[in-house]
Coordinates of all heavy atoms in Angstrom, one line a residue:
M1 N 0.8 -1.2 0.0 CA 0.0 0.0 0.0 C 0.9 1.2 0.0 O 1.9 1.3 0.7 CB -0.9 0.0 1.2 CG -2.3 0.5 1.0 SD -3.2 0.3 2.5 CE -4.8 0.6 1.8
T2 N 0.5 2.2 -0.8 CA 1.3 3.5 -0.8 C 1.0 4.3 0.4 O 0.0 4.1 1.1 CB 1.0 4.2 -2.1 OG1 -0.4 4.6 -2.1 CG2 1.4 3.4 -3.3
P3 N 1.9 5.2 0.7 CA 1.7 6.0 2.0 C 0.4 6.8 2.0 O -0.2 7.0 3.1 CB 2.9 6.9 2.0 CG 3.9 6.3 1.1 CD 3.1 5.5 0.1
I4 N 0.0 7.4 0.9 CA -1.2 8.3 1.0 C -2.5 7.5 1.3 O -3.2 7.9 2.2 CB -1.4 9.1 -0.3 CG1 -0.2 10.1 -0.4 CG2 -2.7 9.8 -0.4 CD1 -0.1 10.8 -1.7
P5 N -2.8 6.4 0.6 CA -4.0 5.6 1.0 C -3.9 5.0 2.4 O -4.9 5.0 3.2 CB -4.1 4.5 0.0 CG -3.4 5.0 -1.2 CD -2.3 5.9 -0.6
L6 N -2.7 4.7 2.8 CA -2.5 4.2 4.2 C -2.8 5.3 5.2 O -3.4 5.0 6.2 CB -1.1 3.7 4.4 CG -0.7 3.0 5.7 CD1 -1.6 1.8 5.9 CD2 0.8 2.7 5.8
T7 N -2.3 6.5 5.0 CA -2.6 7.6 5.9 C -4.1 7.9 5.9 O -4.6 8.1 7.0 CB -1.8 8.8 5.4 OG1 -0.4 8.5 5.3 CG2 -2.0 10.0 6.3
I8 N -4.7 7.9 4.8 CA -6.2 8.1 4.7 C -6.9 7.1 5.5 O -7.9 7.4 6.3 CB -6.7 8.2 3.3 CG1 -6.1 9.5 2.6 CG2 -8.2 8.2 3.2 CD1 -6.3 9.6 1.1
A9 N -6.5 5.8 5.3 CA -7.2 4.7 6.0 C -7.0 4.8 7.5 O -7.9 4.6 8.3 CB -6.6 3.4 5.5
C10 N -5.8 5.2 8.0 CA -5.5 5.4 9.4 C -6.4 6.5 10.0 O -6.9 6.4 11.1 CB -4.1 5.6 9.7 SG -3.0 4.2 9.4
L11 N -6.4 7.6 9.3 CA -7.2 8.8 9.8 C -8.7 8.4 9.8 O -9.4 8.8 10.7 CB -7.0 10.0 8.9 CG -5.6 10.7 9.0 CD1 -5.5 11.8 8.0 CD2 -5.4 11.2 10.4
L12 N -9.2 7.6 8.8 CA -10.6 7.2 8.8 C -10.9 6.3 10.0 O -11.9 6.5 10.7 CB -10.9 6.5 7.5 CG -12.3 6.2 7.3 CD1 -13.2 7.5 7.2 CD2 -12.5 5.4 6.0
V13 N -10.0 5.4 10.3 CA -10.2 4.5 11.5 C -10.2 5.3 12.8 O -11.0 5.1 13.7 CB -9.0 3.4 11.5 CG1 -9.0 2.7 12.8 CG2 -9.2 2.4 10.4
V14 N -9.3 6.3 12.9 CA -9.2 7.1 14.1 C -10.5 7.9 14.3 O -11.1 8.0 15.3 CB -8.0 8.0 14.1 CG1 -8.0 9.0 15.2 CG2 -6.7 7.1 14.3
A15 N -10.9 8.5 13.2 CA -12.1 9.4 13.2 C -13.4 8.5 13.5 O -14.2 8.9 14.3 CB -12.3 10.1 11.9
L16 N -13.5 7.4 12.9 CA -14.7 6.5 13.2 C -14.6 6.0 14.6 O -15.6 5.8 15.3 CB -14.7 5.4 12.2 CG -15.1 5.8 10.8 CD1 -15.1 4.6 9.9 CD2 -16.5 6.4 10.8
G17 N -13.4 5.7 15.1 CA -13.3 5.2 16.5 C -13.7 6.3 17.5 O -14.4 6.0 18.5
Y18 N -13.2 7.5 17.2 CA -13.6 8.6 18.1 C -15.1 8.9 18.1 O -15.7 9.2 19.1 CB -12.8 9.9 17.8 CG -13.1 11.0 18.8 CD1 -12.7 11.0 20.1 CD2 -13.8 12.2 18.4 CE1 -12.9 12.0 21.0 CE2 -14.0 13.2 19.2 CZ -13.6 13.1 20.5 OH -13.9 14.1 21.4
G19 N -15.6 8.9 16.8 CA -17.1 9.0 16.7 C -17.9 8.0 17.5 O -18.9 8.3 18.1
G20 N -17.4 6.8 17.4 CA -18.1 5.7 18.2 C -17.9 5.9 19.7 O -18.9 5.7 20.4
L21 N -16.8 6.4 20.1 CA -16.6 6.7 21.5 C -17.6 7.8 22.0 O -18.2 7.8 23.0 CB -15.2 7.1 21.8 CG -14.9 7.6 23.2 CD1 -14.9 6.4 24.1 CD2 -13.5 8.2 23.3
C22 N -17.7 8.9 21.1 CA -18.6 10.0 21.4 C -20.1 9.5 21.5 O -20.9 10.0 22.3 CB -18.5 11.1 20.4 SG -16.9 12.0 20.6
V23 N -20.5 8.5 20.7 CA -21.8 8.0 20.7 C -22.0 7.1 21.9 O -23.0 7.2 22.6 CB -22.1 7.2 19.4 CG1 -23.4 6.4 19.5 CG2 -22.2 8.1 18.2
A24 N -21.0 6.2 22.2 CA -21.2 5.3 23.3 C -21.0 6.0 24.7 O -21.7 5.7 25.7 CB -20.1 4.2 23.2
S25 N -20.1 7.0 24.8 CA -19.9 7.7 26.1 C -19.7 9.2 25.8 O -18.6 9.6 25.6 CB -18.6 7.1 26.7 OG -18.3 7.8 27.9
P26 N -20.8 9.9 25.7 CA -20.7 11.3 25.3 C -20.0 12.2 26.4 O -19.6 13.3 26.1 CB -22.1 11.8 25.2 CG -22.9 10.8 25.9 CD -22.2 9.5 25.9
F27 N -19.8 11.7 27.6 CA -19.2 12.5 28.6 C -17.9 11.9 29.0 O -17.8 10.7 29.2 CB -20.1 12.7 29.9 CG -21.4 13.3 29.6 CD1 -22.5 12.6 29.4 CD2 -21.4 14.7 29.4 CE1 -23.7 13.2 29.1 CE2 -22.6 15.3 29.1 CZ -23.8 14.6 29.0
G28 N -16.8 12.7 29.2 CA -15.5 12.3 29.6 C -15.2 13.0 30.9 O -15.9 13.9 31.4
D29 N -14.1 12.5 31.6 CA -13.7 13.1 32.8 C -13.2 14.6 32.5 O -12.6 14.8 31.5 CB -12.5 12.3 33.4 CG -13.0 11.0 34.0 OD1 -14.2 10.9 34.3 OD2 -12.2 10.1 34.2
C30 N -13.4 15.4 33.5 CA -13.0 16.8 33.4 C -11.4 16.8 33.4 O -10.8 16.1 34.3 CB -13.5 17.6 34.5 SG -13.0 19.3 34.6
R31 N -10.8 17.6 32.6 CA -9.4 17.6 32.5 C -8.8 18.4 33.7 O -7.6 18.2 34.0 CB -8.9 18.1 31.2 CG -9.2 17.2 30.0 CD -8.6 17.7 28.7 NE -9.0 19.0 28.4 CZ -10.1 19.3 27.7 NH1 -10.9 18.4 27.2 NH2 -10.4 20.6 27.4
K32 N -9.5 19.3 34.2 CA -8.9 20.2 35.2 C -8.9 19.5 36.6 O -7.9 19.5 37.3 CB -9.7 21.5 35.3 CG -9.1 22.4 36.4 CD -9.7 23.8 36.3 CE -9.0 24.6 37.3 NZ -9.1 26.0 37.0
C33 N -10.0 18.8 36.9 CA -10.1 18.2 38.3 C -9.9 16.7 38.1 O -10.0 15.9 39.1 CB -11.4 18.5 38.9 SG -12.9 17.8 38.1
R34 N -9.6 16.2 36.9 CA -9.4 14.7 36.7 C -10.6 13.9 37.1 O -10.4 12.7 37.6 CB -8.1 14.3 37.3 CG -6.9 14.9 36.8 CD -5.7 14.3 37.4 NE -4.5 15.2 37.3 CZ -3.9 15.8 38.2 NH1 -4.3 15.6 39.5 NH2 -2.9 16.6 38.0
G35 N -11.8 14.4 37.0 CA -13.0 13.6 37.3 C -13.4 13.6 38.7 O -14.3 12.9 39.1
M36 N -12.7 14.3 39.6 CA -13.0 14.3 41.0 C -14.2 15.3 41.3 O -14.9 15.1 42.3 CB -11.8 14.7 41.8 CG -10.6 13.8 41.7 SD -10.8 12.4 42.8 CE -10.6 13.2 44.4
G37 N -14.3 16.4 40.6 CA -15.3 17.4 40.8 C -14.8 18.5 41.8 O -15.5 19.4 42.0
H38 N -13.6 18.3 42.3 CA -13.1 19.3 43.2 C -11.6 19.2 43.2 O -11.0 18.2 42.7 CB -13.6 19.2 44.6 CG -13.4 17.8 45.1 ND1 -12.2 17.4 45.7 CD2 -14.2 16.7 45.2 CE1 -12.3 16.1 46.1 NE2 -13.5 15.7 45.8
A39 N -10.9 20.2 43.7 CA -9.5 20.2 43.8 C -9.1 19.5 45.1 O -9.8 19.5 46.0 CB -8.9 21.6 43.7
M40 N -7.8 19.0 45.1 CA -7.3 18.4 46.3 C -6.3 19.4 46.9 O -5.4 19.9 46.2 CB -6.7 17.1 46.1 CG -7.7 16.0 45.6 SD -8.9 15.7 46.8 CE -8.0 14.8 48.1
K41 N -6.4 19.6 48.2 CA -5.4 20.5 48.9 C -4.8 19.7 50.0 O -5.3 18.6 50.4 CB -6.1 21.7 49.5 CG -6.6 22.7 48.5 CD -7.2 23.9 49.3 CE -7.2 25.1 48.4 NZ -7.6 26.3 49.2
T42 N -3.7 20.2 50.5 CA -3.1 19.6 51.7 C -3.2 20.6 52.9 O -3.0 21.9 52.7 CB -1.6 19.3 51.5 OG1 -0.9 20.4 51.0 CG2 -1.5 18.2 50.4
D43 N -3.4 20.1 54.0 CA -3.4 21.0 55.2 C -2.0 21.2 55.7 O -1.0 20.7 55.1 CB -4.3 20.5 56.3 CG -4.0 19.1 56.8 OD1 -2.9 18.6 56.4 OD2 -4.7 18.6 57.7
R44 N -1.8 21.8 56.8 CA -0.4 22.1 57.3 C 0.3 20.9 57.7 O 1.5 20.9 57.8 CB -0.5 23.1 58.4 CG -0.8 24.5 57.9 CD -0.6 25.5 59.0 NE -1.9 25.7 59.8 CZ -2.0 26.5 60.8 NH1 -1.0 27.3 61.2 NH2 -3.1 26.6 61.4
K45 N -0.4 19.8 58.0 CA 0.2 18.6 58.4 C 0.6 17.7 57.2 O 1.2 16.7 57.4 CB -0.7 17.8 59.4 CG -0.9 18.5 60.7 CD -1.8 17.7 61.6 CE -2.0 18.4 62.9 NZ -2.9 17.6 63.8
G46 N 0.1 18.1 56.0 CA 0.4 17.4 54.8 C -0.6 16.4 54.4 O -0.5 15.6 53.5
R47 N -1.7 16.3 55.2 CA -2.8 15.4 54.8 C -3.7 16.0 53.7 O -3.9 17.2 53.7 CB -3.7 15.1 56.0 CG -3.0 14.4 57.1 CD -3.9 14.1 58.3 NE -4.3 15.4 58.8 CZ -4.7 15.6 60.1 NH1 -4.7 14.6 60.9 NH2 -5.1 16.8 60.5
L48 N -4.2 15.2 52.8 CA -5.0 15.7 51.8 C -6.4 16.0 52.3 O -7.0 15.3 53.2 CB -5.2 14.6 50.7 CG -3.9 14.3 49.8 CD1 -4.2 13.2 48.9 CD2 -3.6 15.6 49.0
K49 N -7.0 17.1 51.7 CA -8.4 17.4 52.1 C -9.0 18.0 50.8 O -8.4 18.4 49.9 CB -8.4 18.4 53.2 CG -7.9 19.8 52.9 CD -8.0 20.7 54.2 CE -8.1 22.1 53.7 NZ -8.5 23.0 54.8
R50 N -10.3 18.0 50.9 CA -11.1 18.5 49.7 C -11.0 20.0 49.6 O -11.1 20.7 50.5 CB -12.6 18.1 49.9 CG -13.4 18.4 48.7 CD -14.8 17.9 49.1 NE -15.6 17.7 47.9 CZ -16.3 18.6 47.3 NH1 -16.4 19.8 47.7 NH2 -17.0 18.3 46.2
G51 N -10.8 20.4 48.3 CA -10.6 21.8 48.0 C -11.9 22.4 47.5 O -13.0 21.8 47.7
K52 N -11.8 23.5 46.7 CA -13.0 24.1 46.1 C -13.6 23.2 45.0 O -12.9 22.5 44.3 CB -12.6 25.5 45.5 CG -12.3 26.5 46.6 CD -12.0 27.8 45.9 CE -11.7 28.9 46.9 NZ -11.4 30.1 46.3
D53 N -14.9 23.4 44.7 CA -15.5 22.8 43.6 C -14.9 23.3 42.3 O -14.6 24.4 42.1 CB -17.0 23.0 43.6 CG -17.8 22.3 44.7 OD1 -17.2 21.4 45.3 OD2 -18.9 22.7 45.0
C54 N -14.9 22.4 41.3 CA -14.4 22.7 40.0 C -15.4 23.6 39.3 O -16.5 23.2 39.2 CB -14.1 21.4 39.2 SG -13.4 21.7 37.6
R55 N -14.9 24.7 38.7 CA -15.8 25.6 38.0 C -16.0 25.1 36.6 O -17.1 25.4 36.0 CB -15.2 27.0 37.9 CG -15.1 27.6 39.3 CD -14.6 29.0 39.2 NE -13.5 29.2 38.3 CZ -12.9 30.4 38.1 NH1 -13.2 31.4 38.8 NH2 -11.9 30.5 37.3
R56 N -15.1 24.4 36.0 CA -15.3 23.9 34.6 C -16.5 22.9 34.5 O -17.3 23.0 33.6 CB -14.1 23.3 34.1 CG -13.0 24.3 33.6 CD -12.0 23.5 32.9 NE -10.9 24.5 32.5 CZ -9.8 24.1 32.0 NH1 -9.6 22.8 31.7 NH2 -8.9 25.0 31.7
C57 N -16.5 21.9 35.4 CA -17.5 20.9 35.3 C -18.6 21.1 36.3 O -19.5 20.2 36.4 CB -16.9 19.5 35.5 SG -16.1 19.3 37.1
R58 N -18.6 22.2 37.0 CA -19.6 22.5 38.0 C -19.7 21.4 39.1 O -20.8 20.9 39.4 CB -20.9 22.8 37.4 CG -20.9 24.0 36.5 CD -22.3 24.4 36.0 NE -22.1 25.5 35.1 CZ -22.7 25.6 33.9 NH1 -23.4 24.6 33.5 NH2 -22.5 26.6 33.2
A59 N -18.6 20.8 39.5 CA -18.5 19.8 40.5 C -19.1 18.5 40.2 O -19.4 17.7 41.0 CB -19.1 20.3 41.9
T60 N -19.3 18.2 38.9 CA -19.8 16.9 38.5 C -18.7 15.9 38.2 O -18.8 14.7 38.2 CB -20.7 17.0 37.3 OG1 -20.0 17.5 36.2 CG2 -21.9 17.8 37.6
G61 N -17.5 16.4 37.7 CA -16.4 15.6 37.3 C -16.5 15.2 35.9 O -15.6 14.5 35.4
K62 N -17.6 15.5 35.2 CA -17.7 15.1 33.8 C -17.9 16.3 32.9 O -18.5 17.3 33.3 CB -19.0 14.2 33.6 CG -18.9 12.9 34.4 CD -17.9 12.0 33.8 CE -17.8 10.7 34.5 NZ -16.7 9.9 34.0
R63 N -17.4 16.2 31.7 CA -17.5 17.2 30.7 C -17.9 16.6 29.4 O -17.6 15.4 29.1 CB -16.1 17.9 30.4 CG -15.5 18.6 31.6 CD -16.0 20.0 31.7 NE -16.1 20.8 30.5 CZ -15.2 21.8 30.2 NH1 -14.2 22.0 31.0 NH2 -15.4 22.4 29.1
T64 N -18.6 17.4 28.5 CA -19.0 16.9 27.2 C -17.8 16.8 26.3 O -17.0 17.7 26.3 CB -20.0 17.8 26.6 OG1 -21.1 18.0 27.5 CG2 -20.6 17.3 25.3
R65 N -17.6 15.6 25.6 CA -16.5 15.5 24.7 C -16.6 16.4 23.6 O -17.7 16.9 23.2 CB -16.5 14.0 24.2 CG -16.2 13.0 25.2 CD -16.0 11.7 24.6 NE -16.1 10.6 25.5 CZ -15.0 10.2 26.2 NH1 -13.8 10.7 26.0 NH2 -15.1 9.2 27.1
V66 N -15.5 16.8 23.0 CA -15.4 17.7 21.9 C -16.2 17.3 20.7 O -17.0 18.0 20.1 CB -13.9 18.0 21.4 CG1 -13.9 18.9 20.2 CG2 -13.2 18.6 22.6
G67 N -16.1 16.0 20.3 CA -16.9 15.5 19.2 C -18.4 15.5 19.5 O -19.2 15.8 18.6
R68 N -18.8 15.2 20.7 CA -20.2 15.3 21.0 C -20.7 16.7 21.0 O -21.8 17.0 20.6 CB -20.5 14.6 22.4 CG -21.9 14.5 22.7 CD -22.7 13.7 21.7 NE -24.1 13.7 22.0 CZ -24.8 12.7 21.7 NH1 -24.4 11.6 21.1 NH2 -26.1 12.7 22.0
W69 N -19.9 17.7 21.5 CA -20.2 19.1 21.5 C -20.4 19.6 20.0 O -21.4 20.3 19.8 CB -19.1 19.9 22.2 CG -19.4 21.3 22.3 CD1 -20.2 22.0 23.2 CD2 -19.0 22.3 21.4 NE1 -20.2 23.3 23.0 CE2 -19.5 23.6 21.8 CE3 -18.2 22.3 20.2 CZ2 -19.3 24.8 21.2 CZ3 -18.0 23.5 19.6 CH2 -18.5 24.7 20.0
L70 N -19.5 19.2 19.1 CA -19.7 19.5 17.7 C -20.9 19.0 17.1 O -21.6 19.6 16.4 CB -18.4 19.1 16.9 CG -17.2 19.9 17.2 CD1 -16.0 19.2 16.5 CD2 -17.3 21.3 16.8
Y71 N -21.2 17.7 17.4 CA -22.4 17.1 16.9 C -23.7 17.8 17.4 O -24.6 18.1 16.7 CB -22.5 15.6 17.3 CG -23.8 15.0 16.9 CD1 -24.2 14.7 15.6 CD2 -24.8 14.8 17.9 CE1 -25.4 14.2 15.3 CE2 -26.0 14.3 17.6 CZ -26.3 14.0 16.3 OH -27.6 13.5 16.0
N72 N -23.7 18.1 18.7 CA -24.8 18.8 19.3 C -25.0 20.2 18.7 O -26.2 20.6 18.4 CB -24.7 19.0 20.8 CG -24.8 17.7 21.6 OD1 -25.3 16.7 21.0 ND2 -24.3 17.7 22.8
R73 N -23.9 20.9 18.4 CA -24.0 22.2 17.8 C -24.6 22.1 16.4 O -25.4 22.8 15.9 CB -22.6 22.8 17.8 CG -22.5 24.2 17.1 CD -23.3 25.3 17.8 NE -23.0 25.4 19.2 CZ -22.2 26.4 19.7 NH1 -21.7 27.3 19.0 NH2 -22.1 26.4 21.0
W74 N -24.1 21.1 15.6 CA -24.5 20.9 14.2 C -26.0 20.5 14.2 O -26.8 21.0 13.4 CB -23.7 19.7 13.6 CG -24.3 19.4 12.2 CD1 -24.0 20.0 11.1 CD2 -25.2 18.3 11.9 NE1 -24.7 19.4 10.0 CE2 -25.4 18.3 10.6 CE3 -25.8 17.3 12.7 CZ2 -26.3 17.4 10.0 CZ3 -26.6 16.4 12.1 CH2 -26.8 16.4 10.7
A75 N -26.4 19.6 15.1 CA -27.8 19.2 15.2 C -28.8 20.4 15.5 O -29.8 20.5 14.9 CB -28.0 18.1 16.2
R76 N -28.3 21.3 16.4 CA -29.1 22.4 16.8 C -29.3 23.4 15.6 O -30.4 23.9 15.4 CB -28.4 23.1 18.0 CG -29.3 24.2 18.6 CD -28.6 24.8 19.8 NE -28.2 23.8 20.8 CZ -27.0 23.6 21.3 NH1 -26.0 24.4 20.9 NH2 -26.7 22.7 22.1
I77 N -28.2 23.6 14.9 CA -28.3 24.5 13.7 C -29.1 23.9 12.6 O -29.9 24.6 12.0 CB -26.8 24.8 13.2 CG1 -26.1 25.7 14.2 CG2 -26.9 25.5 11.9 CD1 -24.6 25.9 14.0
Y78 N -29.0 22.6 12.4 CA -29.8 21.9 11.4 C -31.3 22.0 11.7 O -32.1 22.3 10.9 CB -29.3 20.5 11.3 CG -30.1 19.7 10.3 CD1 -29.8 19.8 8.9 CD2 -31.1 18.8 10.6 CE1 -30.5 19.1 8.0 CE2 -31.8 18.1 9.7 CZ -31.5 18.3 8.4 OH -32.2 17.6 7.4
R79 N -31.6 21.7 13.0 CA -33.0 21.8 13.4 C -33.6 23.2 13.2 O -34.7 23.4 12.8 CB -33.2 21.3 14.8 CG -33.2 19.8 14.9 CD -33.7 19.4 16.3 NE -32.9 19.9 17.4 CZ -31.8 19.3 17.9 NH1 -31.5 18.1 17.5 NH2 -31.2 19.9 18.9
A80 N -32.8 24.2 13.6 CA -33.2 25.6 13.5 C -33.4 26.0 12.0 O -34.3 26.8 11.7 CB -32.3 26.5 14.2
G81 N -32.6 25.5 11.1 CA -32.7 25.9 9.7 C -33.7 25.1 9.0 O -34.2 25.6 7.9
T82 N -34.2 23.9 9.4 CA -35.2 23.2 8.7 C -36.5 23.2 9.4 O -37.3 22.3 9.2 CB -34.7 21.7 8.5 OG1 -34.4 21.2 9.8 CG2 -33.4 21.6 7.7
D83 N -36.7 24.1 10.2 CA -38.0 24.2 11.0 C -39.1 24.6 10.0 O -39.1 25.6 9.3 CB -37.9 25.3 12.0 CG -39.1 25.3 13.0 OD1 -39.7 24.2 13.1 OD2 -39.4 26.3 13.6
T84 N -40.1 23.7 9.9 CA -41.2 23.9 9.0 C -42.3 24.6 9.8 O -42.7 24.2 10.9 CB -41.7 22.6 8.4 OG1 -42.1 21.7 9.4 CG2 -40.6 22.0 7.5
P85 N -42.9 25.6 9.2 CA -44.0 26.3 9.9 C -45.3 25.4 9.9 O -45.5 24.5 9.1 CB -44.3 27.5 9.0 CG -43.8 27.2 7.7 CD -42.6 26.2 7.9
R86 N -46.1 25.5 11.0 CA -47.3 24.8 11.1 C -48.3 25.3 10.2 O -48.5 26.5 10.0 CB -47.8 24.9 12.5 CG -46.9 24.2 13.6 CD -47.6 24.3 14.9 NE -46.7 23.8 15.9 CZ -47.0 23.8 17.2 NH1 -48.2 24.2 17.6 NH2 -46.2 23.4 18.1
P87 N -49.2 24.4 9.7 CA -50.3 24.8 8.8 C -51.3 25.6 9.7 O -51.4 25.3 10.9 CB -50.8 23.6 8.2 CG -50.3 22.4 9.0 CD -49.1 22.9 9.7
E88 N -52.1 26.4 9.0 CA -53.1 27.2 9.8 C -54.1 26.3 10.3 O -54.5 25.3 9.7 CB -53.7 28.2 8.9 CG -52.7 29.4 8.5 CD -53.4 30.5 7.8 OE1 -54.6 30.7 8.0 OE2 -52.7 31.1 7.0
G89 N -54.6 26.5 11.5 CA -55.7 25.7 12.1 C -55.1 24.5 12.8 O -55.8 23.7 13.4
F90 N -53.8 24.3 12.8 CA -53.2 23.2 13.5 C -52.7 23.7 14.8 O -52.0 24.7 15.0 CB -52.0 22.7 12.7 CG -51.3 21.4 13.3 CD1 -52.0 20.2 13.2 CD2 -50.1 21.6 13.9 CE1 -51.3 19.1 13.8 CE2 -49.5 20.5 14.5 CZ -50.1 19.2 14.4
R91 N -53.0 22.9 15.9 CA -52.5 23.3 17.2 C -51.5 22.4 17.7 O -51.4 21.3 17.7 CB -53.7 23.4 18.2 CG -54.5 24.6 17.9 CD -55.5 24.7 18.9 NE -56.3 26.0 18.7 CZ -56.7 26.7 19.6 NH1 -56.6 26.5 20.8 NH2 -57.4 27.8 19.2

């Protein structure tokens, strides 16, 4: 196989794999708090204690994956652009 079709095939496999991951698991761990939902601090004795809630994930520990966010944005724009008006007399 020549390098160009091999590269295209590899990129296609990676894209389909990531798309499948976004469908199967649309939420991933927050990168800032590593899925904990809060920061970890140490007190003066060196013991770990819970810190402030994570602002990025709002203390859930989960964030929407980039691919799922793009799909949601595309679907919202598509639905807004193809909205058909209701016929008169229809409730």
Side-chain angles (χ1 to χ4, degrees):
M1 218 175 190
T2 60
I4 293 175
L6 183 62
T7 304
I8 291 171
C10 288
L11 288 175
L12 188 62
V13 167
V14 169
L16 289 176
Y18 183 69
L21 177 68
C22 289
V23 168
S25 177
F27 299 102
D29 288 340
C30 178
R31 291 185 304 270
K32 183 168 181 157
C33 65
R34 297 187 197 113
M36 296 279 292
H38 53 82
M40 294 299 290
K41 287 184 159 184
T42 55
D43 60 4
R44 287 191 270 180
K45 293 182 181 179
R47 294 181 297 206
L48 288 174
K49 67 178 207 171
R50 188 177 198 272
K52 292 183 178 180
D53 288 342
C54 180
R55 294 186 317 182
R56 281 190 184 174
C57 63
R58 296 186 183 131
T60 62
K62 296 292 180 183
R63 297 278 312 256
T64 306
R65 294 186 192 274
V66 174
R68 186 61 184 209
W69 182 85
L70 288 171
Y71 171 76
N72 289 345
R73 178 65 54 104
W74 173 81
R76 189 176 307 125
I77 291 170
Y78 180 78
R79 280 192 302 266
T82 58
D83 190 23
T84 57
R86 292 185 189 180
E88 290 186 32
F90 182 75
R91 288 189 176 214

